[in-house]
């Protein structure tokens, strides 16, 4: 049988290749690589939460005022009708 090329050779067991020092270096590298993305993601999520809270608050206030207007509509209509006989009427 022919020998396999080095890139196709069976690798050593992972516990022999992946040492504690190598794991530590990989952890530090991943931490440095991901730190900027985590900060950006947190900033974006904060901004998104603030915007959605503003929109929700405006929607609730709008619905509340709409409800008050509809609830008081008979009194508003009576007030507008009374303007016909007031001094303001043409």
């Amino acid at each position: 049988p022919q020998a396999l090329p080095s890139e196709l050779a069976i690798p050593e067991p992972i516990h022999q290749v992946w040492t504690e020092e190598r794991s530590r270096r990989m952890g530090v590298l991943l931490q440095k690589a991901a730190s900027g993305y985590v900060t950006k993601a947190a900033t974006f999520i904060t901004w998104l939460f603030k915007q959605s809270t503003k929109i929700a608050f405006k929607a609730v206030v709008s619905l509340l005022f709409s409800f008050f207007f509809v609830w008081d509509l008979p009194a508003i209509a009576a007030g507008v009708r009374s303007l016909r006989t007031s001094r303001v009427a043409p």
Side-chain angles (χ1 to χ4, degrees):
Q2 293 181 346
L4 293 173
S6 61
E7 62 268 0
L8 295 178
I10 298 173
E12 296 179 38
I14 193 76
H15 69 278
Q16 292 177 356
V17 176
W18 205 258
T19 63
E20 186 177 332
E21 174 63 23
R22 191 171 182 185
S23 295
R24 188 189 65 74
R25 282 189 293 166
M26 180 61 120
V28 170
L29 226 153
L30 285 173
Q31 185 178 7
K32 286 181 181 181
S35 66
Y37 293 113
V38 171
T39 305
K40 288 179 185 178
T43 303
F44 176 73
I45 290 170
T46 303
W47 175 82
L48 189 64
F49 182 72
K50 285 180 182 179
Q51 295 301 318
S52 61
T53 304
K54 286 179 185 179
I55 291 170
F57 181 74
K58 289 177 183 180
V60 167
V61 169
S62 174
L63 287 172
L64 186 67
F65 284 136
S66 303
F67 175 72
F68 286 157
F69 183 77
V70 170
W71 187 20
D72 201 35
L73 194 59
I76 293 171
V80 170
R81 279 193 299 272
S82 72
L83 285 175
R84 291 184 185 159
T85 59
S86 71
R87 293 185 204 178
V88 180

